[in-house]
Amino acid sequence: MLDPKLLRTDIDTVITSLARRNFSFPRDEYLQLEETRKTVQIRAEELRQERNSRSKGIGNAKAAGEDIQPLLAQVESLGDELEAANAELNEVQAKLNNLLLGLPNLLDKSVPDGADESANVAIRHWGDIPAFDFSPLDHVDLANNLGLLDMNGAAKITGARFSVLKGGLARLQRALIQFMLDMHTQEHGYQEIYAPYIVNEESLLGTGQLPKFADDLFALKGEQGFALIPTAEVPLTNLVRDEIIASEDMPLHFVAHTPCFRSEAGSHGKDTRGLIRQHQFEKVELVQIVAANASSEAHEALTAHAENILQTLELPYRVVTLCSGDTGFGAAKTYDLEVWLPAQNTFREISSCSNFHDFQSRRMKARWRNPDTGKPELVHTLNGSGVAAGRALVAVLENGQQADGSIRIPAALQPYMGGLTQLQSK
RNA sequence: GGAGAAGUGGCUGAGUGGUCGAAAGCGCUCCCCUGCUAAGGGAGUAUGGGUCAAAAGCCCAUCGAGGGUUCGAAUCCCUCCUUCUCCGCCA
C-alpha cells in the first residue's frame, strides 16, 4: 500500500510513477473520495466529541444528585446523527481503502523504463553456455528415458500440471532443497523456518496477493478464508505482521522450503510440457526484514545469495533487472535470475528477487523501533527464490546431460546423493 | 469433538457502568545524590488517525476481534479467534 499522506500531499509524483507501469491512476475518483472522507470524518469526530462531553456532563450531574432528564433530552438526536455519520464514514473509507489496496507500488528510481519483458535489462552473465557434441534433449525426455518421471500418473491421480518424480529424480530434488537450505543457513546467515502451507486472508492481504490476485490462488473450502500458499513469502513475511520489532532483533533473515501452489489462471497453453510450470512445486525462499535505509544493499545481498546457489551448482545464468512495465504489483524493484536451459536454447526464470520497500509492511503494520528516534518505523521487506527447486531440477538435468543419456550430478549435490556422481538407467 | 477458565500498556498485574488511556510494581530514558559499586530521590515512558505547509496544540479511536445494549462500556449481552486445564480421538 502507498502512503496515504503522500497521496494527499503529492499526488502528481504518484501518478507519474505509476504511469511508468502503464497504470493509470483514477485521479478524479480518488480526489472525490478523499474530499468526502475529510468532511465526513471531521463531522463524525465532532459529533463524537459532542457526545463524549455531554455524557461526561450527565455523569457529573448524576454524581451531584441533579435531575438528568433535561440533559438526556438534549442528547436524544445526537445518537442518530452520529450513527449516520459513522455509516457514511465507513462507507467512504471502505471505498478509499479498496482503491488504495489496488494501487501498485512506486518504482525504485533505478528501475529502467519499458513496456514489457522485452525491455528488461540483462546486467550480468555467469558461467559458460555448455556446448554439446550431440543434440541435447529436454528434461522430460531425459527423465523419461531414465524411467524417473511419471506425468501420466500425476494426471491420473490429480490432473494436468502436476508431476510424479521417482527414484533418483525425486532424491535429486530433495538433495537440491537440502543443499540450498544448508547453504543459506550456514553460509548466508538465514534462520531456517518451518511454517504453515495454509494461510488466512489477512496474510494474503499483507503481502499483496489479495485483493487483486485471488484467481491465482487455490482457496480452501470453508468460511475461514484459507488458501494454499503460492510462495513461502506469504507465511515468512507475515511473521512480522502487526509487530514492532526490537532494534536488537533487526535485521531478520528467514529461509524456508515449502511447496508452492498456483492456479496458473491465465497461463493456459503456456509451458504445458514438463516441469517448468506446475500447480505444485518446491521452492526455497529467502525473506529479509530490514530498516528502510538498508534495503537497497540488502536487495543486492539477497540476489547474490540466490546467485551463489546457481554458481555452486555450476549452472550458467544471467541477472535481469525488470523494467517498469514488467515489475510485479508490490515490488519497487526486481532482479530475475534466469538459468540457461539448453533444450529451449534460452534463459528461463529460476529466481525472482524483489525489494518491496514499505509496500507490504504498511499493509501488514510491520514496524521496528528505531533507537535513534525511539519511534516505530515501517520496515522494508524483501524476498527472493533461493531458488525454485523444480526449475533447478530441470536445469541440472538439461545442463548435466551426457551423450549416453546419463545426468552428471553437480559436485555440490553429491554428498546429498550418497556420493552418487550421475543418474543413469539401470 | 465435549466440559471449564482466561485474553488489559515492553512485562507482571489492578480495575464489574461515568472523574479510566487505564492503579501499582518491574523494565527503560533523562536528571539529582552518594568519591567507585550497591542503594536512594525526582521526572518521563503506548499505538494509530484527523486537523495543520510543518511543529506545537486540540480532537478522535484503540483494554483479543467484530457486533449489540446505554446519554455513556475495559466493565453488561451476543458471535468469533487465540491460549490454558480436564476428557475423548489421533500422526
Side-chain angles (χ1 to χ4, degrees):
Chain A
M1 195 154 83
L2 303 182
D3 185 357
K5 282 188 185 133
L6 178 67
L7 240 24
R8 278 180 219 135
T9 55
D10 194 4
I11 190 171
D12 290 328
T13 298
V14 174
I15 291 174
T16 308
S17 177
L18 296 192
R20 295 183 63 205
R21 291 179 178 269
N22 304 318
F23 183 93
S24 66
F25 183 91
R27 185 192 179 110
D28 292 344
E29 185 191 351
Y30 167 77
L31 288 176
Q32 195 176 347
L33 281 173
E34 174 55 22
E35 195 189 314
T36 309
R37 188 228 99 227
K38 188 167 166 176
T39 52
V40 173
Q41 181 166 351
I42 289 173
R43 192 167 84 245
E45 287 188 1
E46 278 171 356
L47 284 167
R48 213 170 297 141
Q49 186 185 352
E50 177 74 14
R51 184 207 64 189
N52 288 350
S53 72
R54 292 202 181 227
S55 290
K56 200 172 267 186
I58 292 173
N60 289 338
K62 207 174 171 187
E66 297 165 16
D67 180 16
I68 60 171
Q69 276 312 318
L71 293 173
L72 285 179
Q74 282 174 20
V75 275
E76 212 166 44
S77 61
L78 245 181
D80 292 344
E81 276 180 70
L82 180 59
E83 200 176 327
N86 272 337
E88 205 180 335
L89 180 61
N90 287 339
E91 194 185 337
V92 72
Q93 262 173 346
K95 281 184 188 164
L96 202 52
N97 206 246
N98 208 40
L99 190 152
L100 253 37
L101 285 173
L103 297 178
N105 199 3
L106 299 178
L107 291 165
D108 192 276
K109 291 125 276 182
S110 63
V111 170
D113 276 315
D116 54 41
E117 61 180 313
S118 66
N120 293 346
V121 179
I123 53 173
R124 59 181 172 270
H125 286 70
W126 184 93
D128 296 323
I129 287 169
F132 294 95
D133 50 11
F134 55 93
S135 50
L137 300 178
D138 82 348
H139 65 281
V140 179
D141 289 336
L142 288 166
N144 277 334
N145 292 344
L146 293 169
L148 300 178
L149 182 64
D150 182 8
M151 297 304 281
N152 291 335
K156 177 174 62 185
I157 59 181
T158 308
R161 289 205 196 279
F162 287 88
S163 56
V164 169
L165 312 183
K166 294 181 170 177
L169 193 59
R171 187 181 190 184
L172 188 58
Q173 175 166 266
R174 180 161 55 89
L176 276 164
I177 292 163
Q178 300 278 67
F179 156 72
M180 292 190 263
L181 283 173
D182 284 348
M183 187 139 192
H184 292 310
T185 54
Q186 289 162 24
E187 291 180 34
H188 300 152
Y190 289 78
Q191 181 183 34
E192 183 169 350
I193 304 286
Y194 172 80
Y197 301 160
I198 293 174
V199 290
N200 59 32
E201 282 177 350
E202 289 74 28
S203 294
L204 292 160
L205 211 65
T207 32
Q209 283 74 23
L210 291 180
K212 236 184 163 175
F213 305 102
D215 287 349
D216 296 337
L217 297 168
F218 280 113
L220 268 42
K221 281 190 176 156
E223 278 150 41
Q224 308 108 127
F226 286 165
L228 294 172
I229 55 171
T231 160
E233 164 196 349
V234 180
L236 292 186
T237 311
N238 275 282
L239 237 25
V240 297
R241 172 155 55 86
D242 293 320
E243 298 289 335
I244 299 175
I245 305 162
S247 63
E248 56 266 31
D249 293 332
M250 290 282 284
L252 294 170
H253 293 188
F254 298 139
V255 61
H257 154 246
T258 70
C260 303
F261 303 93
R262 298 185 183 179
S263 74
E264 295 297 337
S267 56
H268 303 295
K270 220 187 220 176
D271 300 315
T272 50
R273 180 176 163 85
L275 305 176
I276 293 288
R277 191 177 298 274
Q278 299 270 286
H279 287 312
Q280 170 183 323
F281 62 95
E282 305 302 306
K283 184 156 61 67
V284 170
E285 181 78 1
L286 305 173
V287 164
Q288 293 199 19
I289 310 294
V290 307
N293 61 13
S295 74
S296 285
E297 207 176 320
H299 190 205
E300 301 300 324
L302 185 146
T303 306
H305 296 151
E307 285 184 66
N308 198 13
I309 294 290
L310 298 181
Q311 292 176 12
T312 309
L313 292 173
E314 306 158 50
L315 296 171
Y317 68 90
R318 66 177 185 178
V319 182
V320 167
T321 305
L322 298 194
C323 74
S324 59
D326 201 30
T327 299
F329 177 73
K333 183 177 183 181
T334 300
Y335 294 124
D336 273 5
L337 306 192
E338 298 181 339
V339 72
W340 177 255
L341 293 186
Q344 293 191 9
N345 200 42
T346 186
F347 291 97
R348 288 302 303 261
E349 176 186 340
I350 194 169
S351 170
S352 193
C353 302
S354 299
N355 184 354
F356 288 79
H357 289 172
D358 59 12
F359 185 83
Q360 293 180 323
S361 61
R362 184 170 289 105
R363 289 171 167 241
M364 292 193 300
K365 297 181 188 65
R367 294 157 296 169
W368 74 296
R369 198 172 292 278
N370 185 338
D372 295 337
T373 61
K375 292 291 169 198
E377 292 176 7
L378 291 172
V379 298
H380 278 196
T381 61
L382 306 99
N383 66 64
S385 353
V387 300
R391 289 191 179 177
L393 187 64
V394 169
V396 167
L397 289 178
E398 295 196 6
N399 284 283
Q401 63 182 297
Q402 301 172 97
D404 64 356
S406 65
I407 311 292
R408 190 176 50 80
I409 297 173
L413 294 182
Q414 289 172 15
Y416 297 93
M417 294 292 287
L420 216 60
T421 59
Q422 52 181 10
L423 288 182
Q424 56 192 133
S425 52
K426 315 187 260 300

